[in-house]
Amino acid sequence: MTAYATLTPRPRRAANHGPWSGLRFTIEVPEIPPGVHAKRGVHLIITDPSNHPFESGIFIPINTLGDVSIWGDAIQTSARVSELSRTKRTCLFAWDETKLSRGYLRENCKVHCIQDAMLTHCGCVPHFLFYILDEEKEHLPACNVEGMLCLAKHRDYFNNFLPERPRQAESELRHDEVGIYCDCPDNCKSQNYISKLVISKDAQSPSQLVLDIHYETPHCILYETDIIFGFLDAL
């Protein structure tokens, strides 16, 4: 085991771009159990390793030979932005808050928000979806059959994010809106990955799918945000 770990260090990094320069996966997809209405395939999610897999990703059906090209843009802030207080910033750094036992990331904040909503409405969380630890490192109650039925009953509420909390008076609020309000500012520093799937032909086996995952270009664009002063700020 030691020799193998020495010969194949982790993480692996691509030294080039284009087809055959990244990773190739051959996946054998098992049969769907009776009574389960689902399509055979896999969901491919490419994101920051610290992010909880919040997005649904790309669904890839069986009997597929696919080419997945990846590119991404990085966003960072200037030193002047990091010196601002949280009340003057519209974003958060990783050290500002802790979500899901790690530094702040917007997607993890959303997952934490859903977790709190599930605890409020159903008194439990699905153990196979979330980190079932609270801020005191105690295990949160996992849903039993009754709890799972409660989650299914309120799934429209849990799956709908309302853009921002209304500022109208209580008498003016729309009570027909169903969804969760989450206070999750943007990340001050982030790496955004964009993936594109091209299906070239069928795989060799009808129960398999083969994926060639690689970078599309040898570079990415780095954006930097900074403080902008207007004319009124100089008065």
Side-chain angles (χ1 to χ4, degrees):
M1 295 296 292
T2 303
Y4 180 79
T6 302
L7 293 175
T8 57
R10 299 293 193 273
R12 294 181 177 177
R13 292 179 171 85
N16 206 337
H17 68 283
W20 297 95
S21 65
L23 298 174
R24 168 162 284 208
F25 295 92
T26 300
I27 304 173
E28 185 75 27
V29 182
E31 294 283 347
I32 301 295
V36 177
H37 301 285
K39 296 180 179 180
R40 293 179 66 187
V42 299
H43 279 279
L44 176 65
I45 302 175
I46 300 174
T47 183
D48 188 313
S50 297
N51 262 345
H52 189 281
F54 182 80
E55 299 180 357
S56 58
I58 303 174
F59 177 77
I60 305 174
I62 57 174
N63 196 24
T64 296
L65 178 57
D67 181 272
V68 181
S69 56
I70 305 170
W71 71 97
D73 299 331
I75 300 175
Q76 68 177 21
T77 58
S78 66
R80 296 194 300 178
V81 174
S82 62
E83 294 171 356
L84 292 175
S85 63
R86 287 184 52 175
T87 57
K88 295 183 179 180
R89 281 190 267 115
T90 58
C91 63
L92 293 182
F93 289 98
W95 56 80
D96 285 326
E97 289 186 6
T98 300
K99 297 294 184 182
L100 301 182
S101 302
R102 60 189 65 189
Y104 179 84
L105 285 172
R106 189 167 187 261
E107 299 303 325
N108 292 347
C109 177
K110 289 182 178 180
V111 173
H112 191 273
C113 180
I114 297 176
Q115 181 175 276
D116 288 343
M118 289 179 172
L119 284 172
T120 300
H121 286 78
C122 299
C124 63
V125 295
H127 69 280
F128 53 85
L129 285 180
F130 301 107
Y131 302 88
I132 51 176
L133 294 175
D134 59 15
E135 295 180 356
E136 284 74 31
K137 307 298 181 182
E138 297 291 336
H139 284 275
L140 299 176
C143 291
N144 53 19
V145 175
E146 182 179 355
M148 296 301 292
L149 291 175
C150 176
L151 295 180
K153 179 181 178 181
H154 296 90
R155 63 180 180 273
D156 291 338
Y157 174 81
F158 298 135
N159 291 329
N160 184 32
F161 287 94
L162 300 179
E164 61 179 285
R165 188 175 296 278
R167 300 182 182 274
Q168 303 95 325
E170 180 65 25
S171 59
E172 300 177 359
L173 294 181
R174 290 182 54 189
H175 295 281
D176 59 337
E177 290 184 323
V178 177
I180 305 175
Y181 294 108
C182 293
D183 183 16
C184 294
D186 289 331
N187 303 316
C188 291
K189 293 185 178 181
S190 63
Q191 174 71 54
N192 302 320
Y193 294 97
I194 305 171
S195 54
K196 180 176 64 177
L197 170 66
V198 176
I199 299 176
S200 57
K201 60 180 180 179
D202 295 340
Q204 296 181 354
S205 171
S207 62
Q208 286 185 349
L209 57 92
V210 180
L211 298 178
D212 183 13
I213 304 177
H214 58 85
Y215 287 112
E216 180 171 336
T217 62
H219 58 269
C220 71
I221 300 177
L222 175 62
Y223 297 93
E224 184 178 72
T225 59
D226 202 349
I227 302 174
I228 299 177
F229 296 98
F231 176 76
L232 295 179
D233 297 320
L235 297 179

Coordinates of all heavy atoms in Angstrom, one line a residue, residues 1-14 23 25:
M1 N 0.8 -1.2 0.0 CA 0.0 0.0 0.0 C 0.9 1.3 0.0 O 0.6 2.2 -0.7 CB -0.9 0.0 1.2 CG -2.0 -1.1 1.2 SD -3.1 -0.9 -0.2 CE -4.0 0.6 0.3
T2 N 2.0 1.2 0.7 CA 2.8 2.4 0.8 C 3.5 2.7 -0.6 O 3.5 3.8 -1.0 CB 3.9 2.2 1.8 OG1 3.3 1.9 3.1 CG2 4.8 3.4 2.0
A3 N 3.9 1.6 -1.2 CA 4.5 1.8 -2.6 C 3.5 2.3 -3.6 O 3.8 3.2 -4.4 CB 5.1 0.5 -3.0
Y4 N 2.3 1.9 -3.5 CA 1.3 2.3 -4.4 C 1.0 3.8 -4.2 O 0.8 4.6 -5.1 CB 0.0 1.5 -4.2 CG -1.1 1.9 -5.2 CD1 -1.1 1.5 -6.5 CD2 -2.2 2.7 -4.7 CE1 -2.2 1.8 -7.3 CE2 -3.2 3.1 -5.5 CZ -3.2 2.6 -6.8 OH -4.2 3.0 -7.7
A5 N 0.9 4.2 -2.9 CA 0.6 5.6 -2.6 C 1.7 6.5 -3.1 O 1.5 7.6 -3.5 CB 0.3 5.7 -1.1
T6 N 3.0 6.0 -3.0 CA 4.1 6.8 -3.4 C 4.1 7.0 -5.0 O 4.4 8.0 -5.5 CB 5.4 6.1 -3.0 OG1 5.4 5.9 -1.6 CG2 6.6 6.9 -3.4
L7 N 3.7 5.9 -5.7 CA 3.7 6.0 -7.1 C 2.6 6.8 -7.7 O 2.7 7.3 -8.8 CB 3.7 4.6 -7.7 CG 4.9 3.7 -7.5 CD1 4.7 2.3 -8.0 CD2 6.2 4.3 -8.1
T8 N 1.5 6.8 -7.0 CA 0.3 7.6 -7.5 C -0.1 8.6 -6.4 O -1.1 8.4 -5.7 CB -0.9 6.6 -7.8 OG1 -1.2 5.8 -6.6 CG2 -0.5 5.6 -8.9
P9 N 0.6 9.7 -6.3 CA 0.2 10.7 -5.3 C -1.1 11.3 -5.6 O -1.6 11.4 -6.8 CB 1.4 11.7 -5.4 CG 1.9 11.6 -6.8 CD 1.7 10.1 -7.1
R10 N -1.8 11.8 -4.6 CA -3.1 12.5 -4.7 C -2.9 14.0 -4.2 O -2.1 14.2 -3.3 CB -4.2 11.8 -3.9 CG -4.5 10.4 -4.3 CD -5.1 10.4 -5.7 NE -5.6 9.0 -6.0 CZ -4.9 8.0 -6.5 NH1 -3.6 8.2 -6.8 NH2 -5.5 6.9 -6.7
P11 N -3.6 15.0 -4.8 CA -4.5 14.8 -5.9 C -3.8 14.8 -7.2 O -2.7 15.3 -7.4 CB -5.4 16.0 -5.8 CG -4.5 17.1 -5.2 CD -3.6 16.3 -4.3
R12 N -4.4 14.1 -8.2 CA -3.9 14.1 -9.6 C -4.2 15.4 -10.3 O -5.3 15.9 -10.1 CB -4.4 12.9 -10.4 CG -3.9 11.6 -9.8 CD -4.5 10.5 -10.6 NE -3.9 9.2 -10.2 CZ -4.3 8.0 -10.7 NH1 -5.2 8.0 -11.7 NH2 -3.8 6.9 -10.2
R13 N -3.4 15.9 -11.1 CA -3.6 17.2 -11.8 C -3.4 16.9 -13.3 O -2.4 16.3 -13.7 CB -2.7 18.3 -11.3 CG -3.0 18.7 -9.9 CD -2.0 19.8 -9.5 NE -2.4 20.4 -8.2 CZ -2.1 19.9 -7.0 NH1 -1.4 18.8 -6.9 NH2 -2.5 20.5 -5.9
A14 N -4.3 17.5 -14.1 CA -4.1 17.4 -15.6 C -3.0 18.3 -16.0 O -2.9 19.5 -15.6 CB -5.4 17.8 -16.3
L23 N -9.6 12.4 -17.2 CA -10.0 11.1 -16.7 C -11.0 10.5 -17.5 O -11.9 11.1 -18.1 CB -10.5 11.3 -15.3 CG -9.6 11.9 -14.2 CD1 -10.4 12.2 -12.9 CD2 -8.4 11.0 -13.9
F25 N -13.9 7.4 -17.3 CA -14.6 6.5 -16.4 C -15.5 5.5 -17.2 O -16.1 5.9 -18.2 CB -15.5 7.3 -15.5 CG -14.8 8.2 -14.5 CD1 -14.5 9.5 -14.9 CD2 -14.4 7.8 -13.3 CE1 -13.9 10.4 -14.0 CE2 -13.7 8.6 -12.4 CZ -13.5 9.9 -12.8

